[in-house]
Amino acid sequence: MNDILLIGEVIDVIGISTKVKVYEEKNTARLLYNGKVIKNIAVGNYVKILKGYTEIIAVIEGEYIKEIKNVDSYSKHTDTYSRILDVKILGHFSQNKAFVKGVYETPMISNYVYVLQEDEVQKIFCFTKDMEPVIRIGNISGYDNYKLALSLQKLFASHIGIFGNTGSGKSNTLAKVYTELFKSGLNYEKSKFLLIDFNDEYTSEAVLVIQKKVYRLDTRSNTGDKYPLPRSVIEDSVFWSIILDATDKTQRPFLERVLKSYKFYKIRSFSFTDVIRVIHENPSKFNKVKTETTNVLQKIYGGNAYDYERIFDDIEHHSVGACLYNREGGQYFNTIELLEDYIKAKIEDLGCVDIFDPIECQSLDPLVLFDIVLNYKHVYELLKGYSNDEHISPMIKRSEKRINEISRVLEFKDEIQDEMAIQVVSISNCNIHMKKIIPLLICKEAYDNQKEAPKGSKSLHLIIDEAHNILSENSNRESASWKDYRLEVFEEIIKEGRKFGCFITIASQRPSDISATLVSQLHNYFIHRLVNEEDLFTIRKSVSFLDKSKQEMIPILSQGQCICSGLALDFPVNVQVDELADANKPDSKDINVIDLWKP
């Protein structure tokens, strides 16, 4: 070994922690070797310890100086200082000169320590096999000539976490990772990539890839796109429990009864007589459901709600006759035919014609049919005494707004044609309630569909930017049962999804807001600058791959720099992620207030 690369020797060994004394003449920033200027040792760099024929590789975690007293009888006292390195064993070079992670042997005192040569550095940072598809995302910090190459298999067949404060480069890293995948030349058409975009950052044409389907959902108007879901979703009581914030003991059982009626009517017709019959059979309770009845008629036949309210102005219950009674005309409605003819005549007087034919429910939009059945079932059960209005009415009132919002952002079909492999769902124009619901519904349906696919036939990759918005366990805006259900769905995906070919990538500014179960179950991490103590504690607790020195670096990482750690690497590595071209960057850049404020 050339003595130029010899920089010191081992002076202390405690487990895998080793101390190295640096020779005084080697305390320089650069060394000249074979006509090349190479970087000398520094914190974060790697060294080689020669123990006989074994070459042990260690990383420098810290350094300090140690004062050494030098006393002899012929001269005055002189103090000298030695530079001491704290290094940690990472692995060793095998007989074929391949780097092997893990402690094979520990050094001995007085073993020589060397700076790594260029070919040795390449072997240490080689985390992939020969001819294996890889992506390169940036330069390794401290070794700027080396790009970090990550195995596509080890990275994308895993759950990924990308964390960092605003402005740390988190969005650029997320875009860079998937941009490199889509540029790799592999055929990813057998997979589905579904990106939930909270801030409209990934909708531009050149971001990620040009060939993608973008859904711009909007709960505030009817001009937005609609995300397609199977019609079967509408027949799930859990779906409606989520949408309508239904309580478990009263409202959810009612919804299950509504869905039974929905399944009955969806293959039949809905008749005007259906509404009149239930009114005629329960005249004593009619005054309590006048408003609800007019609401049902309006939903079936359209028109003005005020006009329908006038239909029943003169109808009341006659207690002696035990039937409905028209006080203006003195008419008793002893038969359903009399009541039906009267109401039809009143509707015709209001200018509504040809509305009494039975409605073929197969031709109705599924949401419209559900809305009709929901309100009809409400009237029916109130008249029959099957449910308590105080329990059901709050949910019925919520349904008006919620069903309208759902109709603006989702559409339900019997068959969904194969969509493009890469889909971006932008929910920046959705209200807060729907921002929590829509990602859950879309991801759950995609995951359920993936579970039904033959194993190995396709894969699903869920990508959630700003994941703390829907994966938080500290939210106070929702009921405990709804929050538990939301977290349970995503926790099932992250625990069980891998065996079904479903993988999730989450990016967030606040890892401490995300369920600890989700953070701890991730396989690969890209950790940018984090300064909040709660976030740092979450990383320390959840990311077992990080040593103390790497943890201490997290608050001082520069923009774009991150610590990569996980199953795709043998050990944590600091990387300066390449910045994407302006056209390919997510739209997450801060506005220029100086330009904004110029006179």
Side-chain angles (χ1 to χ4, degrees):
M1 178 61 63
N2 195 307
D3 285 345
I4 295 175
L5 299 179
L6 176 63
I7 53 93
E9 60 186 66
V10 175
I11 60 171
D12 193 10
V13 179
I14 303 175
I16 62 173
S17 179
T18 302
K19 297 187 186 302
V20 173
K21 176 185 175 182
V22 180
Y23 296 144
E24 185 177 351
E25 64 272 16
K26 293 301 173 71
N27 287 323
T28 58
R30 298 286 188 273
L31 297 175
L32 183 62
Y33 178 69
N34 284 346
K36 294 183 179 179
V37 176
I38 62 174
K39 194 173 182 180
N40 200 1
I41 51 173
V43 174
N45 291 164
Y46 302 85
V47 294
K48 177 172 65 177
I49 303 172
L50 199 60
K51 180 184 179 182
Y53 294 105
T54 303
E55 298 175 324
I56 301 171
I57 304 302
V59 60
I60 301 173
E61 292 191 321
E63 63 174 280
Y64 60 94
I65 58 172
K66 183 177 180 180
E67 182 181 358
I68 300 176
K69 297 289 185 180
N70 183 19
V71 181
D72 60 53
S73 56
Y74 301 104
S75 63
K76 64 181 180 179
H77 289 226
T78 59
D79 295 339
T80 60
Y81 297 89
S82 293
R83 182 184 178 194
I84 308 298
L85 305 177
D86 279 328
V87 302
K88 187 180 77 171
I89 307 303
L90 289 179
H92 68 282
F93 285 134
S94 63
Q95 290 183 349
N96 61 2
K97 298 300 181 182
F99 176 71
V100 180
K101 180 186 177 184
V103 179
Y104 174 70
E105 286 191 39
T106 56
M108 296 175 63
I109 291 177
S110 297
N111 284 164
Y112 291 132
V113 181
Y114 297 85
V115 173
L116 294 175
Q117 298 184 64
E118 185 172 337
D119 61 330
E120 294 172 329
V121 173
Q122 291 175 343
K123 291 173 183 176
I124 289 177
F125 293 126
C126 182
F127 303 122
T128 60
K129 300 176 182 178
D130 292 341
M131 307 301 294
E132 181 181 15
V134 300
I135 63 168
R136 293 175 172 82
I137 64 169
N139 296 324
I140 297 172
S141 300
Y143 297 93
D144 296 340
N145 294 329
Y146 301 97
K147 290 279 187 183
L148 177 64
L150 297 174
S151 163
L152 285 176
Q153 172 64 25
K154 290 182 179 179
L155 183 60
F156 292 104
S158 75
H159 304 309
I160 303 171
I162 303 175
F163 301 114
N165 292 149
T166 300
S168 63
K170 168 179 55 66
S171 296
N172 181 76
T173 297
L174 175 60
K176 177 67 175 178
V177 166
Y178 280 94
T179 298
E180 290 300 312
L181 168 64
F182 299 141
K183 286 168 51 181
S184 64
L186 297 175
N187 181 11
Y188 48 81
E189 295 298 324
K190 292 182 180 179
S191 296
K192 181 176 181 178
F193 297 84
L194 179 59
L195 191 153
I196 306 297
D197 184 3
F198 278 86
N199 297 322
D200 209 21
E201 296 179 12
Y202 301 88
T203 56
S204 298
E205 182 179 3
V207 177
L208 298 181
V209 66
I210 293 176
Q211 297 298 322
K212 63 178 182 285
K213 173 65 176 178
V214 176
Y215 294 93
R216 293 178 173 85
L217 308 187
D218 189 348
T219 58
R220 301 180 179 94
S221 71
N222 295 316
T223 59
D225 298 322
K226 295 183 180 182
Y227 191 86
L229 290 176
R231 184 167 182 161
S232 58
V233 172
I234 241 177
E235 300 174 10
D236 183 5
S237 63
V238 175
F239 170 84
W240 287 110
S241 296
I242 293 170
I243 297 295
L244 303 179
D245 289 338
T247 57
D248 287 339
K249 294 186 177 180
T250 55
Q251 295 173 355
R252 187 163 179 177
F254 170 74
L255 282 175
E256 290 172 352
R257 297 194 295 272
V258 169
L259 288 172
K260 286 183 180 179
S261 297
Y262 171 84
K263 293 173 185 177
F264 173 83
Y265 279 111
K266 76 173 185 177
I267 56 174
R268 293 174 175 82
S269 60
F270 198 99
S271 172
F272 176 80
T273 307
D274 294 339
V275 181
I276 305 304
R277 179 181 294 109
V278 69
I279 296 173
H280 183 265
E281 291 174 352
N282 303 273
S284 63
K285 298 179 181 179
F286 177 66
N287 286 339
K288 297 180 180 179
V289 296
K290 279 187 178 181
T291 302
E292 289 79 3
T293 304
T294 59
N295 192 33
V296 172
L297 291 175
Q298 184 198 15
K299 289 182 180 298
I300 296 174
Y301 299 114
N304 191 310
Y306 175 71
D307 289 338
Y308 286 103
E309 290 175 3
R310 292 161 55 193
I311 295 171
F312 302 107
D313 283 347
D314 299 326
I315 298 178
E316 61 184 29
H317 175 240
H318 196 283
S319 57
V320 177
C323 64
L324 292 178
Y325 170 74
N326 178 9
R327 61 175 176 267
E328 182 179 347
Q331 182 182 9
Y332 292 87
F333 300 115
N334 295 310
T335 66
I336 187 174
E337 290 78 14
L338 290 173
L339 178 61
E340 187 172 356
D341 290 342
Y342 171 81
I343 294 176
K344 285 182 178 180
K346 291 286 287 186
I347 292 176
E348 289 175 348
D349 288 343
L350 297 172
C352 302
V353 293
D354 299 328
I355 66 170
F356 305 114
D357 294 334
I359 297 175
E360 296 300 325
C361 297
Q362 300 97 317
S363 62
L364 289 178
D365 180 275
L367 270 180
V368 172
L369 176 59
F370 178 84
D371 195 18
I372 291 172
V373 174
L374 175 69
N375 285 272
Y376 169 71
K377 196 70 174 176
H378 182 215
V379 172
Y380 179 87
E381 293 205 357
L382 290 182
L383 290 171
K384 292 287 188 180
Y386 295 160
S387 60
N388 189 323
D389 190 41
E390 293 180 357
H391 296 156
I392 306 302
S393 287
M395 184 182 69
I396 299 297
K397 292 175 181 176
R398 287 196 297 271
S399 71
E400 192 73 30
K401 179 181 179 183
R402 299 284 171 81
I403 292 176
N404 182 50
E405 291 172 345
I406 286 294
S407 68
R408 289 176 171 177
V409 296
L410 299 176
E411 60 180 341
F412 300 90
K413 300 180 177 179
D414 291 325
E415 293 184 6
I416 298 177
Q417 297 179 349
D418 291 337
E419 296 284 350
M420 298 184 68
I422 304 167
Q423 299 178 11
V424 177
V425 181
S426 172
I427 55 176
S428 63
N429 289 326
C430 295
N431 58 38
I432 292 176
H433 185 76
M434 286 298 164
K435 280 185 177 180
K436 287 185 176 291
I437 287 178
I438 292 170
L440 173 62
L441 295 176
I442 292 175
C443 291
K444 183 179 184 299
E445 176 58 30
Y447 175 61
D448 289 342
N449 186 49
Q450 177 65 26
K451 287 197 294 185
E452 299 298 323
K455 190 171 183 178
S457 62
K458 62 179 182 178
S459 66
L460 171 66
H461 303 264
L462 303 175
I463 309 162
I464 306 175
D465 194 19
E466 307 297 345
H468 51 273
N469 287 304
I470 58 170
L471 301 182
S472 171
E473 56 183 358
N474 301 317
S475 175
N476 296 319
R477 293 197 188 106
E478 56 198 350
S479 66
S481 59
W482 153 234
K483 180 171 65 177
D484 290 344
Y485 175 77
R486 172 173 52 81
L487 292 176
E488 283 170 7
V489 168
F490 285 103
E491 286 176 2
E492 180 188 347
I493 293 174
I494 208 163
K495 289 177 181 177
E496 308 294 337
R498 194 172 185 179
K499 62 187 177 187
F500 298 114
C502 177
F503 309 100
I504 189 167
T505 297
I506 61 176
S508 175
Q509 304 171 23
R510 296 301 310 274
S512 60
D513 276 356
I514 297 175
S515 163
T517 300
L518 294 171
V519 177
S520 63
Q521 291 292 321
L522 299 171
H523 304 115
N524 290 291
Y525 299 84
F526 297 85
I527 303 170
H528 288 266
R529 183 179 67 251
L530 292 167
V531 296
N532 183 276
E533 187 56 39
E534 292 183 5
D535 295 330
L536 294 171
F537 175 75
T538 298
I539 296 298
R540 288 195 295 267
K541 182 176 66 173
S542 303
V543 187
S544 59
F545 310 107
L546 289 184
D547 53 41
K548 185 177 180 181
S549 63
K550 288 291 190 290
Q551 293 174 7
E552 292 174 347
M553 293 183 66
I554 294 174
I556 58 173
L557 293 171
S558 60
Q559 186 177 33
Q561 189 180 28
C562 71
I563 298 174
C564 300
S565 179
L567 300 181
L569 302 95
D570 291 333
F571 50 85
V573 177
N574 285 26
V575 178
Q576 183 67 43
V577 180
D578 293 337
E579 189 173 358
L580 291 165
D582 288 343
N584 306 120
K585 287 180 182 178
D587 188 14
S588 58
K589 189 176 180 181
D590 295 335
I591 66 168
N592 188 322
V593 295
I594 302 303
D595 290 343
L596 182 66
W597 294 338
K598 281 182 179 178

